[in-house]
Amino acid sequence: MVALTERTQKRLTIQITDIATDTTAVRSLDWDRDRFDIEFGLQNGTTYNSFLIRGEKTALVDTSHEKFRHLYLDAVKGLIDFQKIDYLIISHTEPDHSGLVKDVLQLAPEITVVGSKVAIQFLENLVHTPFKRLIVKNADKLDLGNGHELEFVIAPNLHWPDTIFTFDHKTKTLYTCDAFGLHYCSDDIFDENLEAISPDYQYYYECLMAPNARSVLSALKRMGELEKINMIATGHGPLLLHNVDELTGRYLTWSQTQTKAETTVGVFYVSEYGASDRLAAALLHGITKAGVAVEMVDLGSNPDLQELRELVSRVAGIVVGMPPVTNDANIQGALGTILGSAKEKQAIGIFETGGGNDEPTYPLLNKFRALGLHVAFPVIEIRETPTENTYKLCEEAGTDLAQWVTRDKSIKQMKSLGADLDKALGRISGGLYIITAKKNDVKSAMLASWVAQASFKPLGFSVAVAKDRAIESLMQVGDKFVLNVLEEGNYQGLMKHFLKRFAPGADRFEGVRTQPAQNGAPILADALAYMECEVTSRLDAVDHWIVYCTVYAGRVSKPEGLTAVHHRKVGNHY
Ligand code: FEO
């Protein structure tokens, strides 16, 4: 089946194949997709893989991207009446796999959606209609009959916080969605051509998995507790059949290397209490985007106290999500161990969870403070249901903490370049701009100088954004923002304002005159010119993203005005 969409003329096809006993793969082949999410410049397209397992009961594992709506739904209809599917297993809720969940629920209203608690919460926001659900935890089982006993493996952060793997004991197939995948589109169902897929396999790991290397190691450990895995049915690219040990071994080696040298922060919280999972995930995102590794520990899962002690004494920072007031000796013991192993000069941050029965925060914070820890961000208090702004605040708090624990490294890097080279590089100059963005209810802004026109047709420019910038999350591919141009002789006030260090979650526009652009982002009233822009692609430049944007509207307030220019002394820091 081939369909060319009118707008893009890109090739989308569907491949249906039996891959194991009673098991059919429905692979959506996106041949020409040339970028993905945030960081990928794709060479070889991608696929979105979905699976149908037929025991006495039937389960569909994941769906597809919404661009495959008709192709995918027709393909599944050709295999089975939707109303006869009993379960829809959601490995995680990212739209490339869950883009058609709403459609499946319309076609099969009685279907039971199976997922982690966080996945089900995300889905509730996505579909807005009631649906039957089964929330699963690690090692939970679901028997489809005919030997197809499914066992679930919790694999948070691979690469979303809500991820689960599913293991079918009959076919010894592990369904992993993003993990062990690659963006590689071909007619090959399996990994027979190891040489051809290796570069993309590694690139995918580096972009998506390396930031969560410790989570990869935890998942590999859990996978080791299963029976011998015969096949890994991934959500992207070919399925792993011929090289399962080799390719899982690479994940192990890469993740071990990754975790050895890095600065690490421990995030300790009680999973599934209040909004702790999503709050912890937002903190994790903020920490990892500043290049610091995170190890998450669920205090409710009875962690090994010796391992906990070892972890706390080796991390550079500690984040605690408040547990509920409880007599649970395990949770109390774990908290006591964290306190007993913490040491001065570590960073500490505390967040409430909104569970309604949190331990009070300040007595705990004061104990850490008395031990000589540095409070990296004010206690995150949750008084009402968290919003997008709450999660953004958590992300920014995580970044602040990560920047504090890596401050020595940053200073060392600053001094490491040769003085002459520093000065020569500093002679590259740019204009002065303020980028302003609004995504849903979250607003942000940043002073930018590394802006350069990059194309005529379409009109476009590039801007370099440090990876740990708060606004970076609002500049993903497809996001819209405003580029405000500052005026020579009239920029000091705005520059000073936006150069300030803002507390996590602070309103960056307080006291600044603005009006909304058509895309919702604030236009600065005192800017010389503004442009409405859309992010088209992003290139990874190690500590920055080079963001290429197209411009579709704009105005100059003073036709004779000149752009403010930024002259620098050295080029190895801002
Ligand atoms: Fe392939 Fe995380 O979605």
Side-chain angles (χ1 to χ4, degrees), residues 36-37 47-48 92-97 158-160 163 177-178 183 204 208 235-236:
F36 202 91
D37 272 5
T47 76
Y48 321 100
H92 77 308
T93 47
E94 221 172 346
D96 48 328
H97 311 281
L158 303 185
H159 93 284
W160 266 24
T163 307
C177 205
D178 281 347
H183 292 310
Y204 182 102
L208 283 187
H236 294 294

Side-chain angles (χ1 to χ4, degrees), residues 205 213 216-217 250-260:
Y205 172 89
V216 174
L217 292 176
R250 289 184 194 177
Y251 261 43
L252 181 65
T253 311
W254 293 332
S255 301
Q256 283 170 337
T257 312
Q258 189 75 17
T259 48
K260 262 180 211 146

Side-chain angles (χ1 to χ4, degrees), residues 29-83:
L29 274 55
D30 195 346
W31 293 88
D32 306 308
R33 186 162 180 172
D34 56 5
R35 56 176 193 270
F36 202 91
D37 272 5
I38 42 175
E39 53 269 274
F40 287 107
L42 294 185
Q43 306 290 315
N44 297 311
T46 194
T47 76
Y48 321 100
N49 306 334
S50 164
F51 305 93
L52 188 66
I53 310 170
R54 288 187 257 207
E56 284 158 12
K57 302 236 168 162
T58 298
L60 188 63
V61 182
D62 295 319
T63 64
S64 183
H65 193 287
E66 64 175 4
K67 68 167 88 163
F68 280 87
R69 177 165 284 119
H70 296 299
L71 284 171
Y72 173 82
L73 295 174
D74 286 350
V76 176
K77 272 181 209 160
L79 295 169
I80 189 169
D81 179 351
F82 266 101
Q83 302 205 350

Side-chain angles (χ1 to χ4, degrees), residues 411-425:
I411 292 167
K412 216 159 125 193
Q413 274 170 358
M414 230 182 264
K415 290 180 177 163
S416 68
L417 284 181
D420 283 346
L421 177 55
D422 291 351
K423 286 178 191 159
L425 197 64

